[in-house]
Amino acid sequence: MAKTEILLTKQDIPRQWYNIQADLRSPLALPLHPVTNQPAALSDLEAIFPVNIIEQEVSQERWIGIPDSVLDVLAMWRPTPLVRARRLEEALGTPAQIWYKYEGGSPSGSHKNNTAVAQAYFNKIAGTKRLVTETGAGQWGTALSFACYQFGIECQVYMVRVSYDQKPYRRTMMRIWNAEVSPSPSNQTNTGRAMLQKAPDCPGSLGLAISEAIEDTVTHANTKYSLGSVLNHVLLHQTVIGLEAKEQFNRAGIKPDILIGCAGGGSNFAGFVFPFCAGKISGESDCRIVAVEPTACPSLTRGDYRYDFGDTGGMTPLMKMYTLGHDFIPAGIHAGGLRYHGMAPLVSALMNEKVIEARAVNQIPIFEAAVMFARTEGLVAAPETAHAIRVAIDEALEARKDGQPRVIAFIFSGHGLLDLSAYEAYLSGQLQDYEYTPQGGCVKS
Ligand SMILES: *Cc1c(COP(=O)(O)O)cnc(C)c1O
């Protein structure tokens, strides 16, 4: 049977990003200043972001144009295919269709390049010479390194320690694109040094690495900070994914019944589902939209919806979001990109309004699903992506039970070819499941 794949041409790459802020039932809660707890002034953000990015962060315009220089780079791997996983369907004996939007073909192998390119470009035209960031599994650092190289900007990356040790090849990729990479907690910042003193074996977390990156940014000239998830402008840049997918489904005359994405900070999930959410908000569509998170770091399913810091050190503005607490350090699961204590405010708002739902899954079952996907479909998924695959398979098994055909679509956020040590641990029975413990993984009791 031929592979069923809906391809678009270069002419079909979206020319505008979709800004869901224009379609929310009520406006987002304003971010608060970390010290005064009053609504943050836009000028507070100028220490770390260029003005053109801040404008996108707060824009209420539904459509925002994508500059030609950004499109030129995106066209290196976009548009991406929408593929039907027929062999997986057969192996599961399900009456459901399973489709995936494949973001693993970008330079760094994930969706993260979509925003990295936009952010490097807007920083370049704003005069930034050096960008600083954090990275969990190394995907974001790799994507930003690539993007900075395209636009001639220096790049400094704080990489969460557990990933720095588990994923040395991501470090190498960042260095190919000329980035400086430091393990976090590091000795380069006050925040890092304080944590090392308290817990020398700390595996690190995204929240902690963000604190280090921000401290570095505000203490260096011509330097700005860049975040790979969570913020409104990041989610905005990712909407090329869902806009393409929507067009692909339209061309095939298919309406998805369930959309699924893994969620760490929420950007690949948002990029895929936001263009489908407008219909759900207005009541035209009854499609289910499911975010999948790890049981070890379940912000949407176990967190509170309240104001919290985006980082561990309490330097970022307070954002209203689902959070496990900014000092929560999750266990060192292999899906490093999902080890974040909070969730994007936009995704959180949709969760609170029940436009989307969430599910938490454990580490061993996600690798089981990813191995089944690799055996049937031939693609090795990132451990983060494996969370979406798990729930897509569970939904297809539900369909087998109740005999109801349905269309399941998930976002394949990235490949796992640099995550093979995690697969090795799974295959040799060395992986461990983790339940949520509020005190987190850095504190030993
Ligand atoms: C970073 C990453 C994620 C998680 O980040 P989001 O902002 O939630 O998308 C998921 N999948 C892959 C492959 C990643 O690299």
Side-chain angles (χ1 to χ4, degrees):
M1 190 190 305
K3 182 171 173 183
T4 310
E5 189 173 349
I6 306 168
L7 295 170
L8 299 173
T9 67
K10 297 290 173 198
Q11 271 66 46
D12 300 318
I13 300 175
R15 294 291 195 270
Q16 293 172 312
W17 290 299
Y18 167 63
N19 182 10
I20 199 168
Q21 291 195 66
D23 290 322
L24 289 181
R25 284 186 201 131
S26 45
L28 270 192
L30 292 172
L32 305 180
H33 189 282
V35 177
T36 65
N37 274 12
Q38 295 304 306
L42 293 186
S43 53
D44 295 338
L45 294 174
E46 287 174 26
I48 55 173
F49 295 117
V51 174
N52 50 14
I53 294 268
I54 297 171
E55 283 167 1
Q56 291 180 358
E57 184 66 17
V58 299
S59 172
Q60 303 292 312
E61 295 292 320
R62 183 170 288 109
W63 297 101
I64 295 178
I66 308 179
D68 285 344
S69 308
V70 173
L71 284 171
D72 271 353
V73 182
L74 292 183
M76 288 167 74
W77 69 93
R78 304 209 72 82
T80 64
L82 180 71
V83 187
R84 182 160 172 195
R86 281 193 190 268
R87 289 170 186 273
L88 175 63
E89 290 170 17
E90 268 166 43
L92 292 169
T94 179
Q97 292 186 19
I98 304 174
W99 293 83
Y100 60 93
K101 177 73 170 157
Y102 183 64
E103 292 294 313
S106 76
S108 72
S110 82
H111 67 287
K112 293 211 172 68
N113 293 78
N114 297 324
T115 184
V117 170
Q119 292 191 48
Y121 168 79
F122 287 112
N123 270 283
K124 176 71 179 184
I125 60 171
T128 305
K129 302 274 186 272
R130 176 173 176 265
L131 271 177
V132 182
T133 196
E134 76 296 325
T135 194
Q139 285 275 15
W140 169 241
T142 318
L144 192 69
S145 304
F146 161 82
C148 283
Y149 191 83
Q150 304 313 307
F151 294 105
I153 300 175
E154 281 174 54
C155 187
Q156 161 76 48
V157 182
Y158 290 91
M159 184 171 187
V160 175
R161 229 274 293 288
V162 60
S163 297
Y164 186 90
D165 295 335
Q166 281 173 354
K167 301 179 181 190
Y169 296 128
R170 287 249 165 241
R171 251 188 287 166
T172 310
M173 274 183 93
M174 291 185 249
R175 295 183 57 213
I176 287 173
W177 288 308
N178 269 355
E180 292 277 343
V181 189
S182 318
S184 168
S186 80
N187 272 316
Q188 278 162 253
T189 66
N190 289 332
T191 316
R193 286 186 288 268
M195 181 56 87
L196 284 174
Q197 206 160 38
K198 231 171 47 190
D201 296 330
C202 183
S205 70
L206 278 175
L208 182 63
I210 293 172
S211 294
E212 289 209 85
I214 292 181
E215 186 182 326
D216 178 316
T217 303
V218 298
T219 52
H220 288 83
N222 298 320
T223 298
K224 295 287 182 205
Y225 169 67
S226 171
L227 191 64
S229 187
V230 180
L231 297 181
N232 304 340
H233 67 272
V234 179
L235 277 50
L236 173 81
H237 299 154
Q238 294 295 354
T239 58
V240 288
I241 302 170
L243 292 168
E244 285 178 9
K246 219 174 157 187
E247 175 64 20
Q248 285 161 311
F249 276 123
N250 280 344
R251 288 192 189 184
I254 293 172
K255 262 203 164 58
D257 298 304
I258 311 169
L259 297 171
I260 301 165
C262 67
S267 75
N268 85 90
F269 172 73
F272 183 50
V273 309
F274 278 6
F276 296 88
C277 280
K280 188 131 189 220
I281 294 170
S282 68
E284 280 158 54
S285 148
D286 59 356
C287 173
R288 286 177 54 209
I289 302 177
V290 187
V292 191
E293 56 188 12
T295 49
C297 194
S299 51
L300 285 171
T301 53
R302 302 284 297 275
D304 300 319
Y305 188 45
R306 62 172 170 92
Y307 275 104
D308 195 9
F309 297 107
D311 66 322
T312 302
M315 287 187 279
T316 69
L318 291 150
M319 294 175 290
K320 187 149 185 210
M321 61 181 175
Y322 281 88
T323 177
L324 299 167
H326 64 276
D327 49 4
F328 175 72
I329 306 257
I333 53 167
H334 284 275
L338 305 185
R339 295 179 68 247
Y340 183 61
H341 66 271
M343 184 56 63
L346 280 170
V347 172
S348 295
L350 294 173
M351 177 76 186
N352 190 50
E353 298 203 347
K354 301 195 165 57
V355 176
I356 65 164
E357 58 191 282
R359 189 96 59 89
V361 291
N362 230 316
Q363 181 161 247
I364 293 172
I366 65 119
F367 277 98
E368 196 187 330
V371 166
M372 182 174 200
F373 192 81
R375 287 177 180 167
T376 51
E377 293 295 317
L379 292 171
V380 177
E384 291 84 0
T385 308
H387 289 70
I389 299 176
R390 175 74 263 167
V391 171
I393 289 178
D394 288 346
E395 291 293 337
L397 292 173
E398 249 341 277
R400 185 173 73 184
K401 248 196 260 161
D402 63 27
Q404 299 295 317
R406 65 196 79 170
V407 178
I408 300 166
F410 73 90
I411 169 159
F412 190 107
S413 54
H415 71 64
L417 294 175
L418 295 179
D419 299 293
L420 295 182
S421 60
Y423 279 87
E424 185 58 38
Y426 167 73
L427 293 170
S428 46
Q430 285 161 10
L431 275 193
Q432 195 187 331
D433 276 343
Y434 291 97
E435 294 306 329
Y436 169 61
T437 46
Q439 73 273 20
C442 263
V443 185
K444 296 196 179 65
S445 47

